[in-house]
Amino acid sequence: MQAPASTAPNSQKSRYLFLAPAVIFINAALLCGISLRLGADLNWDLLNYHFLNGYLWLNGKIFSDSICTVQSYLDPLLNSFYYILIDHFSPLAANLIIASLQSLSLSAVWLLCFRMTEHGFGMFQRIMLSSIATLAALISPVFWSEIGGTMGDTLLDTPIIIALWCILEGLRDRRLLFFGIAGALVGFACGLKFTNMVYALAVAGALILTGIFESPSKIRGILLNAFVFSAYSAVAFLATYGYFGWQMWSHFRNPIFPYFNNIFHSPFMAPRAIHDGRWFPVDFAGYLALPFRFAFVHHHTTGNHLVGLEIPFRTLFPALVLILVPAVYFCLLDAASGTSAVPESGVTTTAGSNPATLGPVSWFGWSAVSSSRPDRARGVVHSRGQEWPQAIA
């Protein structure tokens, strides 16, 4: 006898509760093993400001004893966490703790993919697709290079991915609470590390477009969802960065000094934005070709111009995203219009448009904004394979 349709959500949630602990344990064990094999992390950012900024902030010296570099006032709460780990634990223990926390982002990827494939796929297919997506995230160049290290990108991916999951749940259950939780998670991540701002824009875009695909006539509901998301994002951002931002304003008349001083006009620096043009193409054609160049070559294009990151790598992922996202949207529009002869199965319209929006919006946001954040790209230069006892002097 078939169970009533109303019990389906409860059945799905019970499967999450059953699988989540195993997924979390497997990913944590995997990343700890990889971190142990890679050796101690000695990235540029750790040696120049991660450890020092945390020490200065916790000891009330960040304004009096700062070395006054571009990175001297970045992410004090996040860097304080790294300082405490390094100061109280051995290098091996600190790296394993960080790797365990980073593994939560892989578990979030697995569970998000499992959620997206709940219609039209068998249990074995869902598990395999989720595992493939998680493996793709693991072997991506930036994630792999940061395993066990102090770069906050992989550590703070988790709340961003969980926010996407919350949006899917909110659209299905028609509950504003999920949009508020998603906003709070995104605002929390942005307050700890500014580079997550590109994902805030992307998640907001995903929320709006998934709402449009699901119910194009309910504009008021879509705007209400976006408002709740934005309000909770702002509150969470102020909770994590508001106090330090006020201190920065009091000292420098710029809450994110020295960045965007072309807007805030702090008297302690020239009224201009900080840009580092090494990381981006020089023309529009270069931007279009960049995802495909990552698949074939990664090196210095000229003596002072780099493409992408300082670490050498090749990856197909950006090119695949650029190719597949238009195809996903075409299929979703076709399904939404009711002209498709294909029966409804597989990834739903709502679930498919959510990450399909996140990728391109965050890509363009990163391209437009991150040139003023040279530390994001420079920081992934790692010196790995150090002997553990001598890793941190």
Side-chain angles (χ1 to χ4, degrees):
M1 181 176 179
Q2 188 176 6
S6 60
T7 64
N10 292 331
S11 175
Q12 293 295 337
K13 292 176 182 178
S14 65
R15 291 178 179 178
Y16 280 124
L17 294 176
F18 174 74
L19 290 171
V23 171
I24 292 172
F25 175 79
I26 292 172
N27 285 324
L30 177 62
L31 250 66
C32 285
I34 294 174
S35 179
L36 184 64
R37 180 66 180 86
L38 290 176
D41 177 48
L42 289 178
N43 68 75
W44 186 94
D45 298 62
L46 170 61
L47 298 178
N48 283 271
Y49 73 96
H50 282 174
F51 185 83
L52 177 61
N53 283 10
Y55 165 79
L56 294 177
W57 173 247
L58 290 176
N59 290 275
K61 300 179 178 180
I62 195 166
F63 296 110
S64 61
D65 293 3
S66 171
I67 57 177
C68 298
T69 67
V70 173
Q71 297 88 8
S72 291
Y73 307 106
L74 286 177
D75 318 321
L77 292 181
L78 181 62
N79 291 331
S80 297
F81 169 71
Y82 292 136
Y83 168 77
I84 292 173
L85 284 182
I86 297 170
D87 189 50
H88 289 80
F89 296 93
S90 67
L92 173 59
N95 278 44
L96 292 181
I97 292 172
I98 295 173
S100 298
L101 295 174
Q102 290 171 332
S103 71
L104 294 175
S105 62
L106 295 181
S107 300
V109 168
W110 197 98
L111 293 172
L112 177 63
C113 185
F114 190 79
R115 164 65 176 82
M116 290 172 56
T117 54
E118 64 181 4
H119 298 292
F121 294 94
M123 177 59 69
F124 177 76
Q125 292 173 313
R126 296 176 68 188
I127 292 175
M128 291 302 298
L129 288 171
S130 302
S131 301
I132 292 172
T134 304
L135 178 62
L138 170 64
I139 63 176
S140 60
V142 172
F143 191 97
W144 184 272
S145 70
E146 294 184 7
I147 294 176
T150 60
M151 299 299 298
D153 307 287
T154 48
L155 196 65
L156 295 175
D157 285 343
T158 305
I160 302 296
I161 299 169
I162 295 177
L164 292 175
W165 184 87
C166 289
I167 288 175
L168 294 180
E169 293 298 306
L171 290 172
R172 180 175 66 181
D173 297 345
R174 301 293 195 276
R175 296 180 62 184
L176 288 175
L177 176 62
F178 283 108
F179 302 116
I181 294 174
L185 290 170
V186 173
F188 170 80
C190 293
L192 292 180
K193 190 172 177 66
F194 283 162
T195 47
N196 289 310
M197 290 289 186
V198 296
Y199 299 119
L201 177 64
V203 174
L207 169 61
I208 294 173
L209 287 182
T210 49
I212 292 174
F213 274 115
E214 185 187 51
S215 304
S217 61
K218 298 181 179 179
I219 299 300
R220 291 181 60 184
I222 295 171
L223 294 178
L224 178 60
N225 296 341
F227 173 78
V228 171
F229 172 86
S230 302
Y232 276 77
S233 296
V235 171
F237 175 80
L238 291 176
T240 50
Y241 188 77
Y243 175 75
F244 185 69
W246 173 254
Q247 292 293 314
M248 293 284 284
W249 175 262
S250 300
H251 283 81
F252 302 116
R253 288 296 182 265
N254 181 343
I256 53 176
F257 183 82
Y259 300 100
F260 295 103
N261 207 45
N262 57 322
I263 298 175
F264 295 102
H265 299 284
S266 169
F268 296 91
M269 184 180 171
R272 62 184 182 183
I274 296 175
H275 291 282
D276 189 340
R278 295 180 298 167
W279 316 112
F280 300 96
V282 295
D283 52 29
F284 181 73
Y287 277 98
L288 292 180
L290 182 59
F292 300 96
R293 295 195 62 187
F294 282 149
F296 299 102
V297 63
H298 179 92
H299 59 75
H300 297 201
T301 56
T302 66
N304 60 359
H305 185 81
L306 312 179
V307 174
L309 306 172
E310 285 182 332
I311 56 174
F313 69 87
R314 294 181 183 179
T315 176
L316 293 171
F317 297 139
L320 289 176
V321 168
L322 191 65
I323 294 172
L324 293 178
V325 164
V328 169
Y329 273 117
F330 177 80
C331 292
L332 295 178
L333 288 171
D334 191 36
S337 65
T339 59
S340 176
V342 180
E344 183 178 354
S345 63
V347 179
T348 62
T349 299
T350 300
S353 59
N354 196 331
T357 302
L358 182 78
V361 174
S362 58
W363 167 267
F364 288 117
W366 168 77
S367 300
V369 176
S370 289
S371 58
S372 63
R373 290 292 312 280
D375 61 290
R376 180 179 177 91
R378 183 185 298 122
V380 297
V381 180
H382 284 66
S383 175
R384 301 303 291 260
Q386 304 294 321
E387 295 294 332
W388 287 109
Q390 291 80 33
I392 303 294

